[in-house]
Amino acid sequence: MAKKNINEMSFLDHLEDLRWHLIRIVLAIVIVGAVAFISSRFIFDEIIFAPLEMDFPTYDFLCRCANFINVDTTFCGEKIPLILQNRTMAGQFSADIWTAVLGGFILSFPYVIYQFWKFISPAMHSNERKHSRGFIIVSSLLFFIGVLFGYYIICPLSINFLANYSISKMVDNQIDISSYIGLVRNSVLASGLIFELPIIIFFLTKVGLVTPEFLRKYRKYALVIVLILSAIITPPDIASQVIVAIPILVLYQVSIFISKMVIRNQRRKEKVRV
């Protein structure tokens, strides 16, 4: 059966269309997640648990920097003072399943974005569809950069700080596996989504909810929010918060530029119509 024109579709037709797009997204995540589940030993040993080894690239780089300026640091230690434990019967199985789901979502993210684009594209003009196709590549690229930033910056900084933080020598850090994986998952996923800020601003500007003037006016408030956000997703030390805050602030500035470009293009189209 031929697909109805968007102008002929009722509210229920739109819901049915959205349902099929969501089904395709879930199937993609499940299929890729199944592959990740089969490869779980490699994922855990070589990716998830890699920040627990002192030869992790981030530790090696920061240790070299500390040695260059002659500063003592925990990044040059022999090992992370942390022992992972499983305290529940289904703990390791649950960790395996949810890690596979997360891996499925991350790896299939371009397809997820594509399906959302397929849902909203019929409402666009032909020239808008032509110019917006690149956003799938851009949004996927930003997401993967954010994931890498979370994995190589936020994760090792958080793990190193929290593992070496001690209130007494009487206390050993014996961490439940769910707590450790939760830290890695939240750091990676939060960073990936935060790096989507320019894309979000683009669409908010397109629908008229955001303007460059609005973003400039509330820039100082955005700075406070960024610092609070950095404090939430990183350990409570100034250096880590600054490292996380800088790229977010850069993304905010890029978002202002994107919003400005969208407004400029809209005004040009209005002049052409007149």
Side-chain angles (χ1 to χ4, degrees), residues 205-238:
T205 304
K206 290 284 287 185
V207 299
L209 294 178
V210 167
T211 63
E213 293 75 18
F214 174 85
L215 294 174
R216 292 192 191 99
K217 180 180 179 181
Y218 292 97
R219 185 173 6 217
K220 57 184 178 181
Y221 301 106
L223 175 61
V224 175
I225 294 174
V226 166
L227 292 176
I228 294 174
L229 186 63
S230 301
I232 293 174
I233 64 178
T234 60
D237 66 277
I238 299 300

PDB file of all heavy atoms in Angstrom, residues 205-238:
ATOM      1  N   THR A 205      16.193  26.707  16.897  1.00  0.00           N
ATOM      2  CA  THR A 205      16.207  27.959  16.143  1.00  0.00           C
ATOM      3  C   THR A 205      15.262  27.871  14.945  1.00  0.00           C
ATOM      4  O   THR A 205      14.558  28.840  14.626  1.00  0.00           O
ATOM      5  CB  THR A 205      17.630  28.290  15.658  1.00  0.00           C
ATOM      6  OG1 THR A 205      18.509  28.323  16.779  1.00  0.00           O
ATOM      7  CG2 THR A 205      17.666  29.644  14.967  1.00  0.00           C
ATOM      8  N   LYS A 206      15.237  26.711  14.289  1.00  0.00           N
ATOM      9  CA  LYS A 206      14.368  26.514  13.134  1.00  0.00           C
ATOM     10  C   LYS A 206      12.902  26.704  13.488  1.00  0.00           C
ATOM     11  O   LYS A 206      12.133  27.266  12.700  1.00  0.00           O
ATOM     12  CB  LYS A 206      14.584  25.119  12.547  1.00  0.00           C
ATOM     13  CG  LYS A 206      15.916  24.923  11.852  1.00  0.00           C
ATOM     14  CD  LYS A 206      15.958  25.581  10.489  1.00  0.00           C
ATOM     15  CE  LYS A 206      15.139  24.817   9.477  1.00  0.00           C
ATOM     16  NZ  LYS A 206      15.285  25.394   8.114  1.00  0.00           N
ATOM     17  N   VAL A 207      12.510  26.261  14.684  1.00  0.00           N
ATOM     18  CA  VAL A 207      11.102  26.372  15.090  1.00  0.00           C
ATOM     19  C   VAL A 207      10.822  27.665  15.836  1.00  0.00           C
ATOM     20  O   VAL A 207       9.695  27.890  16.293  1.00  0.00           O
ATOM     21  CB  VAL A 207      10.684  25.163  15.950  1.00  0.00           C
ATOM     22  CG1 VAL A 207      10.827  23.878  15.168  1.00  0.00           C
ATOM     23  CG2 VAL A 207      11.495  25.090  17.241  1.00  0.00           C
ATOM     24  N   GLY A 208      11.836  28.509  15.995  1.00  0.00           N
ATOM     25  CA  GLY A 208      11.632  29.823  16.592  1.00  0.00           C
ATOM     26  C   GLY A 208      11.673  29.889  18.102  1.00  0.00           C
ATOM     27  O   GLY A 208      11.288  30.908  18.692  1.00  0.00           O
ATOM     28  N   LEU A 209      12.157  28.832  18.753  1.00  0.00           N
ATOM     29  CA  LEU A 209      12.202  28.840  20.221  1.00  0.00           C
ATOM     30  C   LEU A 209      13.492  29.473  20.757  1.00  0.00           C
ATOM     31  O   LEU A 209      13.555  29.853  21.924  1.00  0.00           O
ATOM     32  CB  LEU A 209      12.082  27.408  20.758  1.00  0.00           C
ATOM     33  CG  LEU A 209      10.741  26.708  20.506  1.00  0.00           C
ATOM     34  CD1 LEU A 209      10.768  25.285  21.035  1.00  0.00           C
ATOM     35  CD2 LEU A 209       9.595  27.501  21.157  1.00  0.00           C
ATOM     36  N   VAL A 210      14.517  29.563  19.912  1.00  0.00           N
ATOM     37  CA  VAL A 210      15.811  30.091  20.330  1.00  0.00           C
ATOM     38  C   VAL A 210      16.322  31.052  19.265  1.00  0.00           C
ATOM     39  O   VAL A 210      16.119  30.832  18.066  1.00  0.00           O
ATOM     40  CB  VAL A 210      16.826  28.939  20.554  1.00  0.00           C
ATOM     41  CG1 VAL A 210      18.241  29.476  20.681  1.00  0.00           C
ATOM     42  CG2 VAL A 210      16.477  28.148  21.804  1.00  0.00           C
ATOM     43  N   THR A 211      16.983  32.113  19.704  1.00  0.00           N
ATOM     44  CA  THR A 211      17.618  33.071  18.803  1.00  0.00           C
ATOM     45  C   THR A 211      19.052  33.320  19.267  1.00  0.00           C
ATOM     46  O   THR A 211      19.378  33.061  20.438  1.00  0.00           O
ATOM     47  CB  THR A 211      16.858  34.410  18.783  1.00  0.00           C
ATOM     48  OG1 THR A 211      16.916  34.996  20.098  1.00  0.00           O
ATOM     49  CG2 THR A 211      15.415  34.219  18.362  1.00  0.00           C
ATOM     50  N   PRO A 212      19.918  33.825  18.379  1.00  0.00           N
ATOM     51  CA  PRO A 212      21.285  34.134  18.809  1.00  0.00           C
ATOM     52  C   PRO A 212      21.314  35.158  19.933  1.00  0.00           C
ATOM     53  O   PRO A 212      22.157  35.073  20.844  1.00  0.00           O
ATOM     54  CB  PRO A 212      21.927  34.709  17.533  1.00  0.00           C
ATOM     55  CG  PRO A 212      21.112  34.172  16.420  1.00  0.00           C
ATOM     56  CD  PRO A 212      19.723  34.045  16.947  1.00  0.00           C
ATOM     57  N   GLU A 213      20.386  36.119  19.885  1.00  0.00           N
ATOM     58  CA  GLU A 213      20.322  37.136  20.937  1.00  0.00           C
ATOM     59  C   GLU A 213      19.983  36.503  22.280  1.00  0.00           C
ATOM     60  O   GLU A 213      20.539  36.885  23.314  1.00  0.00           O
ATOM     61  CB  GLU A 213      19.280  38.204  20.584  1.00  0.00           C
ATOM     62  CG  GLU A 213      19.633  39.066  19.390  1.00  0.00           C
ATOM     63  CD  GLU A 213      19.457  38.340  18.059  1.00  0.00           C
ATOM     64  OE1 GLU A 213      18.743  37.311  18.038  1.00  0.00           O
ATOM     65  OE2 GLU A 213      20.056  38.784  17.061  1.00  0.00           O
ATOM     66  N   PHE A 214      19.084  35.548  22.257  1.00  0.00           N
ATOM     67  CA  PHE A 214      18.706  34.843  23.489  1.00  0.00           C
ATOM     68  C   PHE A 214      19.901  34.097  24.065  1.00  0.00           C
ATOM     69  O   PHE A 214      20.157  34.141  25.283  1.00  0.00           O
ATOM     70  CB  PHE A 214      17.562  33.871  23.191  1.00  0.00           C
ATOM     71  CG  PHE A 214      17.185  32.998  24.349  1.00  0.00           C
ATOM     72  CD1 PHE A 214      16.289  33.441  25.306  1.00  0.00           C
ATOM     73  CD2 PHE A 214      17.728  31.721  24.489  1.00  0.00           C
ATOM     74  CE1 PHE A 214      15.937  32.637  26.383  1.00  0.00           C
ATOM     75  CE2 PHE A 214      17.388  30.912  25.557  1.00  0.00           C
ATOM     76  CZ  PHE A 214      16.486  31.374  26.507  1.00  0.00           C
ATOM     77  N   LEU A 215      20.656  33.415  23.195  1.00  0.00           N
ATOM     78  CA  LEU A 215      21.823  32.643  23.647  1.00  0.00           C
ATOM     79  C   LEU A 215      22.914  33.552  24.197  1.00  0.00           C
ATOM     80  O   LEU A 215      23.571  33.217  25.183  1.00  0.00           O
ATOM     81  CB  LEU A 215      22.369  31.813  22.495  1.00  0.00           C
ATOM     82  CG  LEU A 215      21.451  30.699  21.978  1.00  0.00           C
ATOM     83  CD1 LEU A 215      22.036  30.041  20.744  1.00  0.00           C
ATOM     84  CD2 LEU A 215      21.183  29.657  23.062  1.00  0.00           C
ATOM     85  N   ARG A 216      23.103  34.721  23.559  1.00  0.00           N
ATOM     86  CA  ARG A 216      24.119  35.657  24.054  1.00  0.00           C
ATOM     87  C   ARG A 216      23.680  36.275  25.384  1.00  0.00           C
ATOM     88  O   ARG A 216      24.502  36.462  26.292  1.00  0.00           O
ATOM     89  CB  ARG A 216      24.347  36.773  23.025  1.00  0.00           C
ATOM     90  CG  ARG A 216      25.013  36.305  21.736  1.00  0.00           C
ATOM     91  CD  ARG A 216      25.470  37.490  20.923  1.00  0.00           C
ATOM     92  NE  ARG A 216      25.866  37.097  19.573  1.00  0.00           N
ATOM     93  CZ  ARG A 216      25.090  37.216  18.507  1.00  0.00           C
ATOM     94  NH1 ARG A 216      23.873  37.724  18.629  1.00  0.00           N
ATOM     95  NH2 ARG A 216      25.514  36.833  17.318  1.00  0.00           N
ATOM     96  N   LYS A 217      22.400  36.588  25.488  1.00  0.00           N
ATOM     97  CA  LYS A 217      21.887  37.234  26.695  1.00  0.00           C
ATOM     98  C   LYS A 217      22.061  36.350  27.920  1.00  0.00           C
ATOM     99  O   LYS A 217      22.404  36.822  29.013  1.00  0.00           O
ATOM    100  CB  LYS A 217      20.415  37.587  26.501  1.00  0.00           C
ATOM    101  CG  LYS A 217      19.778  38.263  27.709  1.00  0.00           C
ATOM    102  CD  LYS A 217      18.315  38.585  27.440  1.00  0.00           C
ATOM    103  CE  LYS A 217      17.656  39.237  28.660  1.00  0.00           C
ATOM    104  NZ  LYS A 217      16.221  39.539  28.415  1.00  0.00           N
ATOM    105  N   TYR A 218      21.832  35.057  27.735  1.00  0.00           N
ATOM    106  CA  TYR A 218      21.886  34.132  28.873  1.00  0.00           C
ATOM    107  C   TYR A 218      23.179  33.320  28.881  1.00  0.00           C
ATOM    108  O   TYR A 218      23.237  32.243  29.471  1.00  0.00           O
ATOM    109  CB  TYR A 218      20.681  33.190  28.837  1.00  0.00           C
ATOM    110  CG  TYR A 218      19.378  33.909  29.106  1.00  0.00           C
ATOM    111  CD1 TYR A 218      18.565  34.328  28.063  1.00  0.00           C
ATOM    112  CD2 TYR A 218      18.976  34.194  30.417  1.00  0.00           C
ATOM    113  CE1 TYR A 218      17.377  34.999  28.308  1.00  0.00           C
ATOM    114  CE2 TYR A 218      17.788  34.862  30.677  1.00  0.00           C
ATOM    115  CZ  TYR A 218      16.993  35.262  29.613  1.00  0.00           C
ATOM    116  OH  TYR A 218      15.821  35.936  29.855  1.00  0.00           O
ATOM    117  N   ARG A 219      24.232  33.855  28.249  1.00  0.00           N
ATOM    118  CA  ARG A 219      25.507  33.154  28.211  1.00  0.00           C
ATOM    119  C   ARG A 219      26.092  32.978  29.612  1.00  0.00           C
ATOM    120  O   ARG A 219      26.637  31.936  29.941  1.00  0.00           O
ATOM    121  CB  ARG A 219      26.497  33.908  27.324  1.00  0.00           C
ATOM    122  CG  ARG A 219      27.787  33.145  27.172  1.00  0.00           C
ATOM    123  CD  ARG A 219      28.749  33.747  26.168  1.00  0.00           C
ATOM    124  NE  ARG A 219      28.373  35.009  25.622  1.00  0.00           N
ATOM    125  CZ  ARG A 219      28.596  35.370  24.354  1.00  0.00           C
ATOM    126  NH1 ARG A 219      29.169  34.521  23.531  1.00  0.00           N
ATOM    127  NH2 ARG A 219      28.255  36.549  23.914  1.00  0.00           N
ATOM    128  N   LYS A 220      25.984  34.011  30.451  1.00  0.00           N
ATOM    129  CA  LYS A 220      26.562  33.918  31.797  1.00  0.00           C
ATOM    130  C   LYS A 220      25.825  32.877  32.643  1.00  0.00           C
ATOM    131  O   LYS A 220      26.437  32.188  33.461  1.00  0.00           O
ATOM    132  CB  LYS A 220      26.538  35.269  32.488  1.00  0.00           C
ATOM    133  CG  LYS A 220      25.169  35.912  32.601  1.00  0.00           C
ATOM    134  CD  LYS A 220      25.271  37.298  33.217  1.00  0.00           C
ATOM    135  CE  LYS A 220      23.900  37.979  33.303  1.00  0.00           C
ATOM    136  NZ  LYS A 220      24.007  39.340  33.883  1.00  0.00           N
ATOM    137  N   TYR A 221      24.503  32.754  32.408  1.00  0.00           N
ATOM    138  CA  TYR A 221      23.760  31.723  33.124  1.00  0.00           C
ATOM    139  C   TYR A 221      24.140  30.337  32.594  1.00  0.00           C
ATOM    140  O   TYR A 221      24.207  29.368  33.362  1.00  0.00           O
ATOM    141  CB  TYR A 221      22.260  31.941  32.977  1.00  0.00           C
ATOM    142  CG  TYR A 221      21.793  33.282  33.508  1.00  0.00           C
ATOM    143  CD1 TYR A 221      21.442  34.302  32.642  1.00  0.00           C
ATOM    144  CD2 TYR A 221      21.737  33.528  34.881  1.00  0.00           C
ATOM    145  CE1 TYR A 221      21.022  35.543  33.121  1.00  0.00           C
ATOM    146  CE2 TYR A 221      21.323  34.760  35.376  1.00  0.00           C
ATOM    147  CZ  TYR A 221      20.975  35.767  34.483  1.00  0.00           C
ATOM    148  OH  TYR A 221      20.566  36.982  34.968  1.00  0.00           O
ATOM    149  N   ALA A 222      24.377  30.269  31.294  1.00  0.00           N
ATOM    150  CA  ALA A 222      24.813  29.000  30.702  1.00  0.00           C
ATOM    151  C   ALA A 222      26.156  28.574  31.266  1.00  0.00           C
ATOM    152  O   ALA A 222      26.400  27.378  31.490  1.00  0.00           O
ATOM    153  CB  ALA A 222      24.898  29.134  29.180  1.00  0.00           C
ATOM    154  N   LEU A 223      27.032  29.552  31.515  1.00  0.00           N
ATOM    155  CA  LEU A 223      28.336  29.249  32.115  1.00  0.00           C
ATOM    156  C   LEU A 223      28.167  28.604  33.481  1.00  0.00           C
ATOM    157  O   LEU A 223      28.839  27.615  33.800  1.00  0.00           O
ATOM    158  CB  LEU A 223      29.166  30.528  32.232  1.00  0.00           C
ATOM    159  CG  LEU A 223      30.511  30.410  32.958  1.00  0.00           C
ATOM    160  CD1 LEU A 223      31.418  29.423  32.221  1.00  0.00           C
ATOM    161  CD2 LEU A 223      31.182  31.766  33.073  1.00  0.00           C
ATOM    162  N   VAL A 224      27.258  29.143  34.286  1.00  0.00           N
ATOM    163  CA  VAL A 224      27.003  28.569  35.614  1.00  0.00           C
ATOM    164  C   VAL A 224      26.450  27.149  35.487  1.00  0.00           C
ATOM    165  O   VAL A 224      26.870  26.234  36.204  1.00  0.00           O
ATOM    166  CB  VAL A 224      26.018  29.459  36.396  1.00  0.00           C
ATOM    167  CG1 VAL A 224      25.656  28.803  37.734  1.00  0.00           C
ATOM    168  CG2 VAL A 224      26.614  30.838  36.633  1.00  0.00           C
ATOM    169  N   ILE A 225      25.520  26.963  34.545  1.00  0.00           N
ATOM    170  CA  ILE A 225      24.934  25.639  34.341  1.00  0.00           C
ATOM    171  C   ILE A 225      25.996  24.640  33.896  1.00  0.00           C
ATOM    172  O   ILE A 225      26.032  23.491  34.348  1.00  0.00           O
ATOM    173  CB  ILE A 225      23.789  25.706  33.310  1.00  0.00           C
ATOM    174  CG1 ILE A 225      22.634  26.545  33.877  1.00  0.00           C
ATOM    175  CG2 ILE A 225      23.303  24.317  32.941  1.00  0.00           C
ATOM    176  CD1 ILE A 225      21.522  26.796  32.886  1.00  0.00           C
ATOM    177  N   VAL A 226      26.892  25.090  33.001  1.00  0.00           N
ATOM    178  CA  VAL A 226      27.967  24.224  32.522  1.00  0.00           C
ATOM    179  C   VAL A 226      28.880  23.804  33.675  1.00  0.00           C
ATOM    180  O   VAL A 226      29.265  22.637  33.786  1.00  0.00           O
ATOM    181  CB  VAL A 226      28.779  24.928  31.422  1.00  0.00           C
ATOM    182  CG1 VAL A 226      30.087  24.196  31.149  1.00  0.00           C
ATOM    183  CG2 VAL A 226      27.961  25.012  30.144  1.00  0.00           C
ATOM    184  N   LEU A 227      29.221  24.731  34.537  1.00  0.00           N
ATOM    185  CA  LEU A 227      30.079  24.409  35.679  1.00  0.00           C
ATOM    186  C   LEU A 227      29.391  23.436  36.637  1.00  0.00           C
ATOM    187  O   LEU A 227      30.024  22.518  37.173  1.00  0.00           O
ATOM    188  CB  LEU A 227      30.475  25.692  36.410  1.00  0.00           C
ATOM    189  CG  LEU A 227      31.401  26.636  35.632  1.00  0.00           C
ATOM    190  CD1 LEU A 227      31.639  27.917  36.419  1.00  0.00           C
ATOM    191  CD2 LEU A 227      32.726  25.954  35.315  1.00  0.00           C
ATOM    192  N   ILE A 228      28.088  23.640  36.844  1.00  0.00           N
ATOM    193  CA  ILE A 228      27.331  22.717  37.701  1.00  0.00           C
ATOM    194  C   ILE A 228      27.287  21.336  37.063  1.00  0.00           C
ATOM    195  O   ILE A 228      27.492  20.314  37.733  1.00  0.00           O
ATOM    196  CB  ILE A 228      25.904  23.249  37.945  1.00  0.00           C
ATOM    197  CG1 ILE A 228      25.952  24.543  38.769  1.00  0.00           C
ATOM    198  CG2 ILE A 228      25.056  22.199  38.652  1.00  0.00           C
ATOM    199  CD1 ILE A 228      24.606  25.205  38.936  1.00  0.00           C
ATOM    200  N   LEU A 229      27.040  21.311  35.748  1.00  0.00           N
ATOM    201  CA  LEU A 229      27.001  20.042  35.032  1.00  0.00           C
ATOM    202  C   LEU A 229      28.351  19.343  35.085  1.00  0.00           C
ATOM    203  O   LEU A 229      28.431  18.126  35.274  1.00  0.00           O
ATOM    204  CB  LEU A 229      26.584  20.292  33.581  1.00  0.00           C
ATOM    205  CG  LEU A 229      26.349  19.067  32.703  1.00  0.00           C
ATOM    206  CD1 LEU A 229      25.194  18.243  33.253  1.00  0.00           C
ATOM    207  CD2 LEU A 229      26.055  19.483  31.268  1.00  0.00           C
ATOM    208  N   SER A 230      29.411  20.105  34.930  1.00  0.00           N
ATOM    209  CA  SER A 230      30.762  19.540  35.002  1.00  0.00           C
ATOM    210  C   SER A 230      31.038  18.955  36.382  1.00  0.00           C
ATOM    211  O   SER A 230      31.684  17.916  36.512  1.00  0.00           O
ATOM    212  CB  SER A 230      31.806  20.609  34.678  1.00  0.00           C
ATOM    213  OG  SER A 230      31.597  21.149  33.396  1.00  0.00           O
ATOM    214  N   ALA A 231      30.533  19.633  37.415  1.00  0.00           N
ATOM    215  CA  ALA A 231      30.726  19.144  38.783  1.00  0.00           C
ATOM    216  C   ALA A 231      29.964  17.845  39.025  1.00  0.00           C
ATOM    217  O   ALA A 231      30.393  16.997  39.815  1.00  0.00           O
ATOM    218  CB  ALA A 231      30.288  20.207  39.784  1.00  0.00           C
ATOM    219  N   ILE A 232      28.833  17.669  38.305  1.00  0.00           N
ATOM    220  CA  ILE A 232      28.025  16.474  38.494  1.00  0.00           C
ATOM    221  C   ILE A 232      28.658  15.262  37.832  1.00  0.00           C
ATOM    222  O   ILE A 232      28.694  14.163  38.405  1.00  0.00           O
ATOM    223  CB  ILE A 232      26.594  16.692  37.940  1.00  0.00           C
ATOM    224  CG1 ILE A 232      25.866  17.739  38.798  1.00  0.00           C
ATOM    225  CG2 ILE A 232      25.801  15.392  37.908  1.00  0.00           C
ATOM    226  CD1 ILE A 232      24.510  18.135  38.259  1.00  0.00           C
ATOM    227  N   ILE A 233      29.186  15.433  36.605  1.00  0.00           N
ATOM    228  CA  ILE A 233      29.668  14.292  35.843  1.00  0.00           C
ATOM    229  C   ILE A 233      31.164  14.053  35.994  1.00  0.00           C
ATOM    230  O   ILE A 233      31.705  13.141  35.380  1.00  0.00           O
ATOM    231  CB  ILE A 233      29.326  14.442  34.345  1.00  0.00           C
ATOM    232  CG1 ILE A 233      30.051  15.651  33.733  1.00  0.00           C
ATOM    233  CG2 ILE A 233      27.842  14.546  34.143  1.00  0.00           C
ATOM    234  CD1 ILE A 233      29.800  15.823  32.253  1.00  0.00           C
ATOM    235  N   THR A 234      31.835  14.877  36.821  1.00  0.00           N
ATOM    236  CA  THR A 234      33.268  14.680  37.060  1.00  0.00           C
ATOM    237  C   THR A 234      33.546  14.660  38.555  1.00  0.00           C
ATOM    238  O   THR A 234      32.708  15.095  39.350  1.00  0.00           O
ATOM    239  CB  THR A 234      34.107  15.810  36.426  1.00  0.00           C
ATOM    240  OG1 THR A 234      33.711  17.059  36.995  1.00  0.00           O
ATOM    241  CG2 THR A 234      33.908  15.857  34.932  1.00  0.00           C
ATOM    242  N   PRO A 235      34.704  14.182  38.966  1.00  0.00           N
ATOM    243  CA  PRO A 235      35.092  14.246  40.377  1.00  0.00           C
ATOM    244  C   PRO A 235      35.223  15.694  40.823  1.00  0.00           C
ATOM    245  O   PRO A 235      35.492  16.579  40.004  1.00  0.00           O
ATOM    246  CB  PRO A 235      36.441  13.528  40.413  1.00  0.00           C
ATOM    247  CG  PRO A 235      36.947  13.568  39.016  1.00  0.00           C
ATOM    248  CD  PRO A 235      35.729  13.511  38.147  1.00  0.00           C
ATOM    249  N   PRO A 236      35.039  15.950  42.127  1.00  0.00           N
ATOM    250  CA  PRO A 236      35.019  17.335  42.622  1.00  0.00           C
ATOM    251  C   PRO A 236      36.389  17.982  42.764  1.00  0.00           C
ATOM    252  O   PRO A 236      36.763  18.439  43.836  1.00  0.00           O
ATOM    253  CB  PRO A 236      34.345  17.178  43.991  1.00  0.00           C
ATOM    254  CG  PRO A 236      34.725  15.809  44.434  1.00  0.00           C
ATOM    255  CD  PRO A 236      34.750  14.971  43.189  1.00  0.00           C
ATOM    256  N   ASP A 237      37.146  18.028  41.665  1.00  0.00           N
ATOM    257  CA  ASP A 237      38.386  18.791  41.696  1.00  0.00           C
ATOM    258  C   ASP A 237      38.371  19.772  40.534  1.00  0.00           C
ATOM    259  O   ASP A 237      37.817  19.487  39.469  1.00  0.00           O
ATOM    260  CB  ASP A 237      39.614  17.874  41.624  1.00  0.00           C
ATOM    261  CG  ASP A 237      39.719  17.146  40.304  1.00  0.00           C
ATOM    262  OD1 ASP A 237      39.052  16.099  40.161  1.00  0.00           O
ATOM    263  OD2 ASP A 237      40.447  17.624  39.437  1.00  0.00           O
ATOM    264  N   ILE A 238      38.967  20.924  40.724  1.00  0.00           N
ATOM    265  CA  ILE A 238      38.887  22.025  39.776  1.00  0.00           C
ATOM    266  C   ILE A 238      39.434  21.645  38.401  1.00  0.00           C
ATOM    267  O   ILE A 238      38.839  21.963  37.371  1.00  0.00           O
ATOM    268  CB  ILE A 238      39.637  23.256  40.313  1.00  0.00           C
ATOM    269  CG1 ILE A 238      39.016  23.719  41.633  1.00  0.00           C
ATOM    270  CG2 ILE A 238      39.597  24.391  39.300  1.00  0.00           C
ATOM    271  CD1 ILE A 238      37.562  24.117  41.522  1.00  0.00           C
TER     272      ILE A 238
END
